[in-house]
Amino acid sequence: VIPARAGFDLVVTTDALVEGVHFLPDDPLDLVARKLLRVNLSDLAAKAAEPFGYFLTTSWSPRCGPSERSLFAKGLAQDGEAYALALLGGDTVSTPGPLTLSATLLGWVPTGALVKRSGARPGDRLLVSGEIGRGALGLKARRGEIEDPGGAFAGHYQLPHPRLELREALRRHASAAADVSDGLVADAAHIADASGLAVTLELSAVPVPSGARDLAELLTAGDDYEIVCAASAGSAAALIADAAALGVRMTEIGGFETGAGVRTLMRGQPLELPRSGFQHPL
Amino acid sequence: VIPARAGFDLVVTTDALVEGVHFLPDDPLDLVARKLLRVNLSDLAAKAAEPFGYFLTTSWSPRCGPSERSLFAKGLAQDGEAYALALLGGDTVSTPGPLTLSATLLGWVPTGALVKRSGARPGDRLLVSGEIGRGALGLKARRGEIEDPGGAFAGHYQLPHPRLELREALRRHASAAADVSDGLVADAAHIADASGLAVTLELSAVPVPSGARDLAELLTAGDDYEIVCAASAGSAAALIADAAALGVRMTEIGGFETGAGVRTLMRGQPLELPRSGFQHPL
């Protein structure tokens, strides 16, 4: 039972991970547990919500014996503590199939302070935190397809960093937000669709890791867990400054206008990208 | 986002179903969808909570094409309407394994009116709604192991009836409650354990379907989705009368005392039963 908290609304989000689809069979289960919490925490971050607790469904596959389960529990405990997130309940079952995990996270927002997907207005600027493409490059690195000195990309893929630190800045300055889980272009389009607007992205402005080659792939893959958001022309600079003060780079990459759909430009010239979002190519 | 509701607390429960473990591969998917909601509604019923909405995680197996998905959605819509339960969100993923479903249900209880598992007091009577064993007999009927004229047992197994109509009666008269999902003996023991008490069951008093033979199996199997509860000696008769007025049989089958553990009697003489709870013998 969640006692009512005066002056706060509850935000609820659910995300599932399936072995062989969303994580690799040889990913250590403590990292998988932490990723499960973090992909959901990223959803709370996009809503500018304060993490509270979670409900967990674990469908154990036959390969998960006591040592695998214990490693998984260790990961849960570690990030539960790091993010002050309480395990409130759940269900544990067996499956003859792959390990399947689902978490429902609860977070609090002060009444009226929720940052919605649907709040963008014509003329709002489009901004994104951090760098885009680290999720896609991390998956390639985990599969040995690219060099990854120091393991930074693989580390981001296994253990993304939810942008909870941006909560206050988003509440103050953003009119709409989403996390980048389906791919930057698809998630920007989600905001535009929900707001009943069109969105234009200037691809050359999108910050990507240095040396990255296939821009189209990076911008349409997922698992970045950055924040893509809308802010009025008057608020964008303040949002960038507040984020910078927290050590987070926030970059203006486009804007919203009346209409529908997503338009991608490369230095002002139309350049079409696939718009499908992340298809989990494992 | 769930707006705060003044004077109410939120109850949250999660249950998962796996094909081949909790339902049969040839169970129609509209019935599976409705069972998923109903096993969770049964948890809300035991807390005397009013259903509000749910979050759904669906891991589709390769065998689930458009017609299977559409049948599943039809079942969700049907019971969503029957129980005034809104689909609030969720996640849909693919799995190479069996169809795996998880629902997190939210319900409201007036602040302070939650019926807990841990509220039983020494001297309280133990009561149960309906008949026990219909879940076990329904599984046998579905497998063709027993006769089931009219299909009532198989129907109960596929589509249990959560005892939400007992909500007001439980709030008024019960000190503790649980739903019978793990097996009557195990679920009575859960109440005793949570309350720091011992519980005694008089097995001859437990209502079972007429003609049922293996009493031990019926009382330790699960999937009944009846309510087992505690009420003071002074409240038990009122609880039975209120339930009867709603058309629900409520039977006194034992009591709580100081101590720990569960004791089973047959006409006053100790009779030991396995206490393991339902092991999903599919």
Side-chain angles (χ1 to χ4, degrees), chain A residues 126 128-137 140 179-190 200-209 212-224 226 228 253 262-267 271-279:
Chain A
L126 177 71
V128 71
S129 67
E131 284 180 337
I132 291 300
R134 296 169 72 207
L137 293 172
K140 282 180 186 285
D179 72 326
V180 183
S181 53
D182 293 338
L184 175 66
V185 177
D187 290 308
H190 292 330
T200 300
L201 280 87
E202 172 49 59
L203 301 179
S204 67
V206 177
V208 294
R213 276 169 302 185
D214 187 348
L215 191 65
E217 186 182 9
L218 300 191
L219 305 192
T220 56
D223 266 343
D224 286 306
E226 297 293 347
V228 57
I253 58 168
V262 59
R263 208 158 55 109
T264 44
L265 306 178
M266 177 58 84
R267 296 192 185 86
L271 178 75
E272 282 218 14
L273 289 179
R275 202 199 141 171
S276 59
F278 192 35
Q279 295 297 321

Side-chain angles (χ1 to χ4, degrees), chain B residues 186-222:
Chain B
D187 290 308
H190 292 329
I191 295 177
D193 289 349
S195 304
L197 296 175
V199 64
T200 300
L201 282 87
E202 172 51 57
L203 302 179
S204 66
V206 177
V208 293
S210 60
R213 277 170 301 186
D214 187 348
L215 190 65
E217 186 182 8
L218 300 192
L219 305 191
T220 56

Side-chain angles (χ1 to χ4, degrees), chain A residues 11-166:
Chain A
V11 174
V12 187
T13 183
T14 295
D15 256 316
L17 299 182
V18 178
E19 177 184 319
V21 182
H22 305 89
F23 61 93
L24 298 164
D26 65 344
D27 279 333
L29 288 188
D30 55 339
L31 298 188
V32 171
R34 295 168 73 190
K35 179 166 182 172
L36 175 68
L37 296 182
R38 289 172 180 223
V39 299
N40 278 289
L41 284 164
S42 179
D43 280 319
L44 292 185
K47 298 274 176 289
E50 172 195 340
F52 167 57
Y54 67 105
F55 292 80
L56 176 71
T57 300
T58 314
S59 302
W60 292 115
S61 69
R63 80 155 171 105
C64 297
S67 70
E68 284 78 12
R69 295 181 190 211
S70 152
L71 189 61
F72 182 79
K74 192 184 141 206
L76 286 183
Q78 195 173 345
D79 268 8
E81 195 179 315
Y83 292 101
L85 197 61
L87 177 53
L88 300 169
D91 197 10
T92 301
V93 298
S94 293
T95 178
L99 174 60
T100 302
L101 306 163
S102 169
T104 301
L105 261 69
L106 311 181
W108 296 111
V109 279
T111 299
L114 180 76
V115 178
K116 299 180 187 175
R117 263 193 189 175
S118 58
R121 285 155 300 194
D124 276 0
R125 311 312 305 149
L126 177 71
L127 301 102
V128 71
S129 67
E131 284 180 337
I132 291 300
R134 296 169 72 207
L137 293 172
L139 177 56
K140 282 180 186 285
R142 278 284 293 140
R143 292 152 140 184
E145 294 170 11
I146 59 166
E147 299 281 312
D148 186 18
F153 292 139
H156 177 86
Y157 176 76
Q158 289 189 314
L159 213 52
H161 175 79
R163 290 292 192 190
L164 290 160
E165 67 267 43
L166 294 178

Side-chain angles (χ1 to χ4, degrees), chain B residues 51-153:
Chain B
F52 167 57
Y54 67 105
F55 292 81
L56 175 71
T57 300
T58 314
S59 304
W60 293 114
S61 69
R63 79 155 172 107
C64 296
S67 70
E68 285 77 12
R69 296 180 190 211
S70 152
L71 189 61
F72 182 79
K74 192 184 140 206
L76 285 183
Q78 196 172 346
D79 268 9
E81 196 179 314
Y83 292 101
L85 198 61
L87 176 54
L88 301 169
D91 197 11
T92 301
V93 298
S94 294
T95 176
L99 175 58
T100 302
L101 306 163
S102 170
T104 301
L105 261 68
L106 310 182
W108 296 110
V109 281
T111 300
L114 180 76
V115 179
K116 298 181 186 174
R117 263 193 189 175
S118 59
R121 286 153 302 192
D124 276 1
R125 312 312 304 150
L126 177 72
L127 300 102
V128 72
S129 67
E131 284 180 337
I132 291 300
R134 296 169 73 205
L137 294 171
L139 178 56
K140 281 180 186 287
R142 278 286 294 141
R143 291 152 142 183
E145 295 171 10
I146 60 166
E147 298 282 313
D148 186 19
F153 292 138

